[in-house]
Amino acid sequence: MSRLGRITAETRAAWYAFVRRRTAVFFTFFFPIILILIFGALIRTDPTDGGLFAEPAGYYVASYLAVVVLFTPLSRVGSEVARHREGNRFEKLATTPLSRAEWLLAQTLVNVAVIGLASLVILAMVLAVTDASFVASPLVVPYIALGVALFCGFGAVLGRVADSQDGVIAASNGVAIPLLFLSETFIPPAMLPEWFVPFMQLSPLTYFARGLRAATYEAPTGAMVGVGETGVVGVDPYLNLLVLAVLALGFFVAGAYALPRTD
């Protein structure tokens, strides 16, 4: 079987494995909907009053997308790796022509499809329940695809170092929650201590949220967005996409290398 055939077959198997888990399907789409209803409809933004949600609603569209791009691949791929380890499936895979990189690529393609659909749901919900403005940019697709690939690789590493599926969930939450709030997602750099702002450049999620926001959101005059102008690449969406691509490649290679050959 050719490499393309192996990846296609594994992608199909991974997709069917996902859709058979009804609870996983439900919460993959239900979680972002609840998030938007809470933060978008109940806790409304107030650009005139300061506080946590001090930016216009459109500023947070990239933040909502960052949530699903961050949490879903980390937990899904990490749990899948842990599940394969517990069932000695990597030992069986080692007897087939399927390489570790091909296996991870198949998992990544499934996650790109799943999170792409979830992102459409998020955008529809945001535009339905808030007054957010959104610029339909072709850069949305590569941002989501690269962000998913990055955190799939990261999830594979967590799945290798954690000792169980429960350990993966704890580790993924321990990584994702600080990243979510200490990157340029919901909390702008202007609201953080000045000494901490340079450290935000170390988060891969910063480049996703900052670049996607620059591509899809036009800040109104007077909004608190001088946000993200620190760092080497600033707010240019193409430069942030380039950094994200380099990081995605690095994390994917690390994740493929971390996958065990045998258990």
Side-chain angles (χ1 to χ4, degrees), residues 31-215:
F31 175 67
I33 290 174
I34 288 298
L35 186 77
I36 292 167
L37 289 176
I38 293 174
F39 291 102
L42 298 180
I43 306 175
R44 295 182 179 274
T45 62
D46 187 357
T48 64
D49 192 37
L52 180 58
F53 290 90
E55 298 289 347
Y59 177 90
Y60 298 102
V61 175
S63 307
Y64 298 134
L65 294 176
V67 171
V68 70
V69 165
L70 171 64
F71 278 87
T72 303
L74 274 181
S75 60
R76 287 200 67 249
V77 174
S79 296
E80 196 68 20
V81 172
R83 190 179 298 113
H84 273 57
R85 290 177 63 195
E86 290 174 2
N88 295 322
R89 297 182 190 177
F90 284 114
E91 186 171 347
K92 298 174 184 177
L93 283 175
T95 64
T96 72
L98 188 73
S99 69
R100 293 178 292 175
E102 290 168 352
W103 183 88
L104 183 56
L105 178 58
Q107 299 296 325
T108 300
L109 292 174
V110 171
N111 276 276
V112 168
V114 170
I115 295 168
L117 292 173
S119 297
L120 290 176
V121 172
I122 288 174
L123 290 176
M125 285 293 299
V126 168
L127 296 178
V129 303
T130 74
D131 59 352
S133 59
F134 181 80
V135 178
S137 169
L139 293 180
V140 173
V141 174
Y143 263 105
I144 290 176
L146 290 171
V148 171
L150 190 157
F151 290 109
C152 280
F154 203 158
V157 174
L158 292 181
R160 175 61 187 269
V161 300
D163 57 0
S164 65
Q165 293 186 53
D166 290 339
V168 168
I169 298 300
S172 62
N173 287 335
V175 169
I177 292 175
L179 279 182
L180 182 63
F181 291 102
L182 298 179
S183 306
E184 291 186 20
T185 50
F186 291 98
I187 303 176
M191 296 182 64
L192 293 171
E194 186 176 349
W195 63 265
F196 182 79
V197 172
F199 290 99
M200 300 177 78
Q201 317 306 315
L202 300 178
S203 169
L205 194 64
T206 290
Y207 299 98
F208 174 87
R210 178 204 290 160
L212 185 60
R213 181 176 294 120

